């Protein structure tokens, strides 16, 4: 097996063990296997990271367990339980370099990165020690917050941006707990309810949004579900009715 940088494989390639007959055969029930991988990710942060690395190296970057066949899923499950692991090299990526440059040039960026590491990782701020998916997650989160901030500035056109000094003053950035906006946008979050045209789906979407607003823990449960099973897309309106009903049933959403 040949893997592209920055991934290296510890011990032996995952599929190699399966080919040697080192694993017990599992029933080819893709639905049960996919659910098992989802459960592993929800309960074990290391399993989630390993699944992402496995998918990036051998599954074309597709992280939704339901998109893979039984052999691929059972190989991961048995390999992980046998103690086999992927690991990243210490070689910095271009994204890591970009984040480090942002830390040097912007105090707000530096604080945002520090808060993100504290909230979503081990609190260590060296970008070169984070995997690619974590770095991309930070950029995506910052992009979302930037869009939210600018949408509150009266719809200012991107082609006519004013100099930075003329922008409205943001509130100071506080240490970030789950559910605290990264950018200070006032006491209330911007929230709009847009109809999909399907009353049944709209009801499910609104139930999940209300569930997230119920507590930081509940919000994180939805985020974890999206990250492990839905490619990181956290807007309930972006998912079909079956997916929304699955989450509602699994987590007892009112």
């Amino acid at each position: 097996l040949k893997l592209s940088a920055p991934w290296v494989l510890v011990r032996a390639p995952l599929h190699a063990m399966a080919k040697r007959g080192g694993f017990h055969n599992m029933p080819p029930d893709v639905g049960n296997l996919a659910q098992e991988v989802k459960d592993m990710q929800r309960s074990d942060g290391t399993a989630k990271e390993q699944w992402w690395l496995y998918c990036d190296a051998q599954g074309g970057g597709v992280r939704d367990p339901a998109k893979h066949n039984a052999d691929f899923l059972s190989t991961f499950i048995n390999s992980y339980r046998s103690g086999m692991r992927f690991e990243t090299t210490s070689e910095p990526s271009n994204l890591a370099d970009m984040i480090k440059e942002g830390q040097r040039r912007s105090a707000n960026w530096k604080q945002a990165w520090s808060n993100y590491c504290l909230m979503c990782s081990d609190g260590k701020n060296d970008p070169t020690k984070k995997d690619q998916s974590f770095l991309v997650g930070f950029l995506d989160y910052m992009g979302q917050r930037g869009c939210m901030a600018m949408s509150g500035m009266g719809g200012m056109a991107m082609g006519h941006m004013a100099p930075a000094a003329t922008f409205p003053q943001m509130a100071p950035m506080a240490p970030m707990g789950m559910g605290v906006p990264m950018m200070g946008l006032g006491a209330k979050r911007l929230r709009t309810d847009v109809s999909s045209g399907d009353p049944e789906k709209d009801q499910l979407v609104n139930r999940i949004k209300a569930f997230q607003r119920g507590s930081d823990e509940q919000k994180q449960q939805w985020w974890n579900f999206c990250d492990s099973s839905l490619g990181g897309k956290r807007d309930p309106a972006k998912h079909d009715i079956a997916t929304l009903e699955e989450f509602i049933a699994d987590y007892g959403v009112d």
Side-chain angles (χ1 to χ4, degrees):
L1 175 68
K2 293 182 179 179
L3 299 177
S4 301
W7 313 121
V8 295
L9 192 62
V10 180
R11 295 177 66 181
L14 296 180
H15 280 306
M17 286 290 288
K19 290 179 180 179
R20 291 200 297 266
F23 301 136
H24 296 293
N25 293 328
M26 297 185 68
D29 186 337
V30 175
N32 289 340
L33 293 173
Q35 186 60 50
E36 186 169 357
V37 171
K38 291 178 182 180
D39 292 341
M40 289 171 66
Q41 294 182 77
R42 291 171 188 159
S43 62
D44 183 348
T46 300
K48 176 180 178 180
E49 180 185 32
Q50 288 296 307
W51 170 250
W52 284 27
L53 296 179
Y54 177 57
C55 292
D56 289 346
Q58 300 184 15
V62 177
R63 294 169 178 167
D64 182 354
K67 302 296 185 183
H68 296 288
N69 61 34
D71 178 66
F72 187 89
L73 297 170
S74 60
T75 297
F76 171 76
I77 292 169
N78 287 289
S79 299
Y80 183 78
R81 288 176 176 170
S82 73
M84 300 175 70
R85 300 290 184 269
F86 282 95
E87 67 178 11
T88 59
T89 67
S90 60
E91 179 182 355
S93 68
N94 290 335
L95 278 181
D97 292 339
M98 186 195 76
I99 290 174
K100 291 182 74 171
E101 186 68 15
Q103 290 177 284
R104 288 191 288 267
R105 293 179 178 269
S106 169
N108 286 331
W109 178 276
K110 181 177 181 179
Q111 185 63 48
W113 170 251
S114 177
N115 288 343
Y116 189 82
C117 292
L118 184 64
M119 181 180 76
C120 301
S121 183
D122 55 8
K124 296 179 181 179
N125 296 338
D126 184 355
T128 65
K129 303 299 184 183
K130 308 297 184 184
D131 63 40
Q132 197 83 348
S133 62
F134 186 87
L135 302 179
V136 171
F138 171 70
L139 296 180
D140 184 55
Y141 190 70
M142 288 295 289
Q144 291 176 11
R145 294 300 177 182
C147 288
M148 288 176 61
M150 286 184 285
S151 69
M153 293 179 183
M156 184 180 297
M158 292 299 292
H160 299 85
M161 296 290 281
T166 68
F167 278 132
Q169 183 64 40
M170 293 287 192
M173 186 176 294
M176 186 165 54
M178 305 303 286
V180 178
M182 182 175 287
M183 299 294 193
L185 297 176
K188 295 183 179 179
R189 280 176 170 262
L190 297 173
R191 185 170 73 244
T192 58
D193 292 328
V194 179
S195 174
S196 67
D198 183 339
E200 180 183 2
K201 178 176 179 179
D202 291 343
Q203 182 185 38
L204 297 175
V205 168
N206 290 333
R207 286 173 65 186
I208 290 176
K209 288 182 177 180
F211 178 78
Q212 292 182 78
R213 293 193 291 269
S215 71
D216 293 340
E217 181 182 359
Q218 290 175 184
K219 177 181 177 182
Q220 189 61 37
Q221 287 175 341
W222 169 249
W223 283 21
N224 290 341
F225 179 77
C226 293
D227 290 346
S228 64
S229 306
L230 305 176
K233 294 181 181 179
R234 294 171 176 170
D235 182 355
K238 300 295 185 182
H239 303 294
D240 58 33
I241 289 177
T243 299
L244 301 177
E245 289 179 337
E246 177 188 353
F247 177 80
I248 287 171
D250 287 350
Y251 289 90
V253 178
D254 294 330

